Amino acid sequence: MGHSPGPGTPAASRVTPERWAAARAAVREAGERFADLVASAPDPAARATADWTVADTAAHVTGIAWNNTAVVADGAKPFPIPEVRPRMAGATLDTLATDVNPVQLASFTERAPARLADLLRASVAEMLDTTADADPERVHGWLGGSRLSLAGVFAHMANELLVHGHDIARASRRPWHVPDEQAALFVDLFLVDLTRHGYGRLLDDRPVRPDRIAVRFHSNHTAPLVMVLEDGVARVEEPGADVDVHLRFRPSVLNLVLFRRVGRARAAMSGSLVVWGRRPWLLPAFLRKLRMP
């Protein structure tokens, strides 16, 4: 069965007053839970990821929130961790782990859990206060020459809190909940808006597959969406007939799969990821191109 020529209908913005309110609420609620988790961590030196301790992970997330107080101020405030800014323009998804993140952690040396928790709470409060009357569709320059709406910045911040909260909780043997309605913001507001407005060079280090893969995303928590990879270029479209793979997902699990915290086989066995379509075997290639740091 052949593909129809040319792109489908470009995806419309998913930024609505309701989704903007949800993104703000997610950052506020997940930020408070994350700060509590960090402040009460029994062993800040415990390994949270392959490379970071609990304290390093908390510093990573706190540093993002602190720098985001400048991002959302739209040029009215300098970056609190200025060493990061020169690295942003040349970043790709693959150099975040080898360049941007190490520079941030080396420049931001605070590791005391209580002080990190306090700074995180203050940074989240400042992000919320600064943007109380802002247009959520206002576009900002972001990593790797990409462009991202204000709502997308908040969705990304919420996801950092949720994914790294998972890391710290596992290391600390504490419970941690990733609500599906909050995790869904990563797809609806971050991935869609980043692709719509231009993802710059973020995918430059990834191999180019010379064909087309169209994946339709289905979830009870997100708007219907098709993401297409064609000759290495990603775009988002409104659902149409020409789809290779259908993916039904729980947002909380999909995000942990994308960030390699949960394996695809485990997610499929739990029923949290269900795949079908005329060419379902193309999904691994699609996910390799779009895998997160």
Side-chain angles (χ1 to χ4, degrees):
M1 184 173 181
H3 291 296
S4 59
T9 304
S13 172
R14 269 56 175 169
V15 181
T16 63
E18 293 77 18
R19 296 303 268 163
W20 173 228
R24 291 172 61 81
V27 169
R28 180 186 298 110
E29 191 274 340
E32 188 60 35
R33 286 197 295 128
F34 188 96
D36 287 345
L37 183 68
V38 169
S40 63
D43 182 6
R47 188 65 57 179
T49 71
D51 301 311
W52 294 344
T53 65
V54 166
D56 292 334
T57 304
H60 167 72
V61 176
T62 300
I64 291 173
W66 199 18
N67 272 340
N68 270 346
T69 63
V71 172
V72 302
D74 206 24
K77 175 182 176 176
F79 269 51
I81 309 172
E83 294 85 355
V84 173
R85 186 151 199 177
R87 307 281 178 157
M88 291 179 65
T92 70
L93 287 180
D94 289 336
T95 62
L96 285 175
T98 59
D99 184 28
V100 178
N101 291 340
V103 167
Q104 176 183 291
L105 284 175
S107 304
F108 178 46
T109 58
E110 182 61 74
R111 295 294 184 274
R115 287 196 287 271
L116 288 169
D118 287 344
L119 180 56
L120 177 67
R121 289 189 179 99
S123 297
V124 166
E126 186 174 341
M127 286 179 65
L128 291 165
D129 290 346
T130 300
T131 59
D133 299 315
D135 178 1
E137 295 199 72
R138 184 180 75 199
V139 176
H140 298 260
W142 205 59
L143 293 168
S146 63
R147 293 173 60 76
L148 185 62
S149 70
L150 182 60
V153 172
F154 269 74
H156 175 266
M157 185 74 250
N159 189 68
E160 289 289 313
L161 292 161
L162 294 171
V163 170
H164 289 300
H166 167 86
D167 296 336
I168 292 174
R170 183 177 55 184
S172 302
R173 299 185 179 183
R174 298 284 177 83
W176 180 255
H177 180 48
V178 180
D180 283 312
E181 61 273 15
Q182 293 183 359
L185 299 167
F186 185 74
V187 173
D188 259 357
L189 299 187
F190 176 73
L191 286 181
V192 172
D193 259 27
L194 187 68
T195 309
R196 287 180 68 246
H197 292 299
Y199 55 82
R201 57 183 61 87
L202 286 176
L203 298 180
D204 279 4
D205 294 336
R206 303 290 168 80
V208 174
R209 183 186 173 100
D211 61 1
R212 179 183 185 277
I213 307 174
V215 178
R216 176 165 176 167
F217 290 77
H218 303 258
S219 166
N220 293 335
H221 301 275
T222 59
L225 172 72
V226 171
M227 183 168 280
V228 178
L229 279 176
E230 188 162 18
D231 298 329
V233 177
R235 63 178 183 268
V236 285
E237 300 178 356
E238 297 299 334
D242 196 19
V243 174
D244 299 298
V245 184
H246 290 265
L247 175 64
R248 177 166 291 283
F249 64 98
R250 281 191 61 192
S252 58
V253 177
L254 176 64
N255 292 4
L256 293 175
V257 168
L258 290 175
F259 285 87
R260 299 187 302 283
R261 268 58 177 187
V262 172
R264 291 196 295 266
R266 176 182 162 192
M269 289 176 63
S270 71
S272 298
L273 295 183
V274 179
V275 180
W276 73 98
R278 65 187 180 193
R279 299 202 295 170
W281 57 86
L282 292 177
L283 183 62
F286 177 90
L287 293 176
R288 279 195 298 272
K289 183 72 174 182
L290 296 178
R291 74 180 185 276
M292 297 298 142

